[in-house]
């Protein structure tokens, strides 16, 4: 949850402030080369009317604490608030584990798709203002990412497996190579 919805964020903080003084419902520790990250979770069930957010079933907060192992890393502690439509599980520890997995899984989408679209296509600075045109371009970009993952451009080394190399391959060889792969692998019915 970001600060672009201040009323919902404020209500969520109010609902969870008493929980934060209790022990967390779930804690997991991830160890990296130069730091340890401790994620702790607290949650509470809500109704959509209570939080003024459609389909809301739970709100939760995750505290992410970075503990450095070397001098190059700064210690930090941040709270991340979230809303989910996931029904609360009666077993609180199991519910907390599910929420943690949902929260951590969210970043998979960000890292696998959105990051590549931002870096390779510079989508954040797109001049397209037409809603339909933006959706169509987005679909084409997603298709290019998919085709790159399927290695339709026959990369000869690890470097050529990247999205920019796929785009170069399409521009050099023309779109025909890509279209023929689609038609041969997935014929239209």
């Amino acid at each position: 949850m970001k600060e672009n919805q201040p009323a919902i964020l404020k209500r969520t903080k109010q609902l969870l402030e008493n929980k934060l003084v209790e022990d967390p419902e779930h804690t997991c520790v991830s160890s990296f080369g130069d730091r340890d990250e401790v994620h702790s979770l607290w949650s509470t069930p809500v109704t959509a009317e209570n939080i003024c957010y459609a389909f809301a079933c739970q709100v939760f907060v995750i505290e992410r604490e970075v503990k450095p192992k070397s001098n190059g890393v700064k210690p930090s502690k941040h709270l991340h608030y979230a809303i989910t439509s996931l029904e609360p599980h009666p077993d609180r520890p199991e519910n907390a584990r599910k929420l943690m997995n949902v929260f951590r899984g969210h970043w998979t989408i960000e890292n696998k798709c959105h990051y590549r679209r931002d870096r390779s296509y510079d989508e954040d600075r797109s001049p397209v203002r037409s809603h339909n045109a933006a959706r169509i371009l987005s679909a084409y970009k997603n298709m290019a990412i998919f085709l790159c993952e399927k290695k339709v451009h026959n990369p000869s080394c690890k470097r050529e497996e990247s999205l920019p190399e796929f785009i170069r391959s399409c521009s050099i060889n023309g779109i025909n190579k890509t279209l023929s792969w689609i038609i041969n692998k997935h014929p239209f019915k």
Side-chain angles (χ1 to χ4, degrees), residues 166-185:
F166 169 78
I167 295 166
R168 273 189 215 91
S169 174
C170 287
S171 65
I172 292 169
N173 298 318
I175 198 71
N176 294 338
K177 185 176 182 181
T178 305
L179 291 176
S180 66
W181 181 87
I182 294 170
I183 292 168
N184 291 335
K185 293 282 186 176

Side-chain angles (χ1 to χ4, degrees), residues 34-67:
D34 57 354
R35 70 187 184 280
D36 286 333
E37 289 186 11
V38 181
H39 292 88
S40 303
L41 182 139
W42 296 265
S43 69
T44 190
V46 295
T47 62
E49 296 79 22
N50 188 6
I51 197 82
C52 298
Y53 198 85
F55 306 108
C57 292
Q58 296 183 76
V59 292
F60 61 97
V61 60
I62 293 181
E63 179 186 72
R64 177 179 174 254
E65 183 179 3
V66 175
K67 297 180 177 180

Side-chain angles (χ1 to χ4, degrees), residues 21-149:
V21 295
E22 301 171 6
D23 289 336
E25 296 168 23
H26 181 68
T27 301
C28 66
V29 179
S30 303
S31 186
F32 299 99
D34 57 354
R35 70 187 184 280
D36 286 333
E37 289 186 11
V38 181
H39 292 88
S40 303
L41 182 139
W42 296 265
S43 69
T44 190
V46 295
T47 62
E49 296 79 22
N50 188 6
I51 197 82
C52 298
Y53 198 85
F55 306 108
C57 292
Q58 296 183 76
V59 292
F60 61 97
V61 60
I62 293 181
E63 179 186 72
R64 177 179 174 254
E65 183 179 3
V66 175
K67 297 180 177 180
K69 292 182 186 176
S70 67
N71 293 336
V73 179
K74 294 181 183 177
S76 64
K77 192 183 278 193
H78 299 283
L79 295 175
H80 302 277
Y81 293 89
I83 299 174
T84 183
S85 59
L86 190 64
E87 290 286 334
H89 194 278
D91 180 25
R92 299 297 292 164
E94 181 62 27
N95 183 60
R97 277 191 290 281
K98 281 185 177 182
L99 290 174
M100 185 69 79
N101 288 337
V102 166
F103 184 79
R104 301 292 296 268
H106 161 79
W107 290 105
T108 304
I109 296 167
E110 180 66 31
N111 293 337
K112 289 188 99 175
C113 186
H114 296 285
Y115 177 80
R116 289 193 276 186
R117 285 170 45 181
D118 288 343
R119 301 300 285 168
S120 296
Y121 296 113
D122 202 17
E123 232 178 32
D124 289 341
R125 288 194 295 255
S126 174
V128 176
R129 295 293 172 248
S130 166
H131 181 71
N132 285 337
R135 290 181 71 172
I136 291 167
L137 285 172
S138 178
Y140 280 125
K141 292 170 188 173
N142 285 341
M143 183 175 71
I145 291 169
F146 167 77
L147 293 171
C148 178
E149 286 178 354

